[in-house]
Amino acid sequence: KITEPQNQEIQIIADKELILRVLVNILSNSLKYTNQNGEIKFYTKVTDTGNIKIIIKDNGIGIAKENINTIFEKYSQSGDKIDYSTGLGLTFCKIAIEEHKGKIGIESEENIGTKIWFTIPNTKILNKEIDIKTTDAKIIIEQKTELKKFLPILKETDIFQISNLRKILKAIEEKGLGNEQWVKTLNNAITNCNNEQYNTLLEILEEI
């Protein structure tokens, strides 16, 4: 069962879709590795610095001490037989929270349970999402030749390598291409860690 939170109502300024995906990823792991009739607690608190701290705690199988430090790494596993991290699930959580300038952490003990927490500063830091479909031909690229020069390095960069992608985006903008709709949509894909949108943008650029 999931314990209903008994906290005061709070309001944060954040990317709703990203934070919901973070919560779903964490809760999915807790549900998967908590036995029937186990308990998952979900609660919030306001820190001394004014940040919002969200905590998800279960009494499931837990994680071995030697695996805690790698649990947020890409494709990390907590053991030979038990995969606590669902592929990119917890890696995505770390990236999304750090994009909000927050922190994420984990505490766990085998056969006792796991607690994952993250904080979100009460400030707006993400760009407004651009409402545009990348699956059709509506994205007009005027500076085709200049943008295509960035295609090789973009193809070598994973959507989760946000710092590297931000550097590439900055280089594109320094070329005076920041007003291109394709570039604006790229920024949106990076902000939301949207791999499907990112790959579609690369396909569009490659085909022109």
Side-chain angles (χ1 to χ4, degrees):
K1 68 177 181 179
I2 298 178
T3 303
E4 292 293 331
Q6 301 295 322
N7 308 100
Q8 71 215 58
E9 184 177 356
I10 59 173
Q11 185 177 41
I12 60 175
I13 301 173
D15 187 296
K16 179 180 178 180
E17 181 181 346
L18 281 183
I19 298 304
L20 282 175
R21 286 170 64 185
V22 167
L23 290 171
V24 167
N25 286 349
I26 296 174
L27 285 169
S28 294
N29 273 321
S30 292
L31 288 168
K32 186 175 181 179
Y33 297 111
T34 299
N35 295 326
Q36 189 173 3
N37 298 322
E39 184 176 70
I40 299 171
K41 294 182 179 180
F42 175 93
Y43 52 101
T44 63
K45 62 181 292 187
V46 179
T47 68
D48 294 338
T49 57
N51 295 338
I52 304 303
K53 187 172 186 178
I54 298 174
I55 303 154
I56 298 95
K57 183 178 181 180
D58 65 58
N59 60 354
I61 61 174
I63 306 168
K65 184 177 180 180
E66 61 268 22
N67 296 314
I68 290 293
N69 292 334
T70 62
I71 199 67
F72 290 111
E73 292 181 4
K74 192 174 181 179
Y75 304 120
S76 69
Q77 293 185 336
S78 62
D80 294 333
K81 296 182 179 179
I82 297 171
D83 181 357
Y84 192 88
S85 174
T86 53
L88 294 175
L90 293 182
T91 301
F92 169 82
C93 293
K94 184 175 187 293
I95 293 169
I97 295 304
E98 289 179 350
E99 276 291 289
H100 282 79
K101 309 303 181 187
K103 296 180 180 180
I104 188 168
I106 186 168
E107 301 168 25
S108 186
E109 187 174 345
E110 285 187 285
N111 302 315
I112 299 296
T114 300
K115 178 171 75 174
I116 296 180
W117 57 267
F118 62 87
T119 61
I120 304 175
N122 197 20
T123 55
K124 187 175 182 180
I125 56 92
L126 292 180
N127 294 327
K128 185 177 179 181
E129 184 175 352
I130 300 171
D131 184 17
I132 186 166
K133 303 292 184 182
T134 61
T135 54
D136 53 33
K138 292 183 179 179
I139 297 179
I140 300 172
I141 306 177
E142 296 178 356
Q143 302 293 332
K144 301 176 182 179
T145 303
E146 289 299 312
L147 276 175
K148 203 156 188 176
K149 293 177 181 179
F150 292 92
L151 183 59
I153 190 171
L154 285 169
K155 291 176 70 173
E156 293 176 359
T157 308
D158 190 276
I159 187 63
F160 292 98
Q161 296 176 279
I162 292 180
S163 295
N164 290 339
L165 285 172
R166 290 294 182 198
K167 291 177 182 178
I168 297 171
L169 190 61
K170 183 178 180 180
I172 291 174
E173 292 173 345
E174 287 176 349
K175 291 288 186 180
L177 305 172
N179 289 326
E180 285 279 352
Q181 186 61 66
W182 186 93
V183 178
K184 292 179 181 179
T185 311
L186 174 64
N187 184 42
N188 177 65
I190 295 169
T191 298
N192 291 287
C193 294
N194 190 326
N195 193 51
E196 182 179 358
Q197 187 179 47
Y198 180 66
N199 288 331
T200 303
L201 283 167
L202 299 189
E203 290 174 5
I204 291 173
L205 188 58
E206 191 167 28
E207 290 173 1
I208 60 174

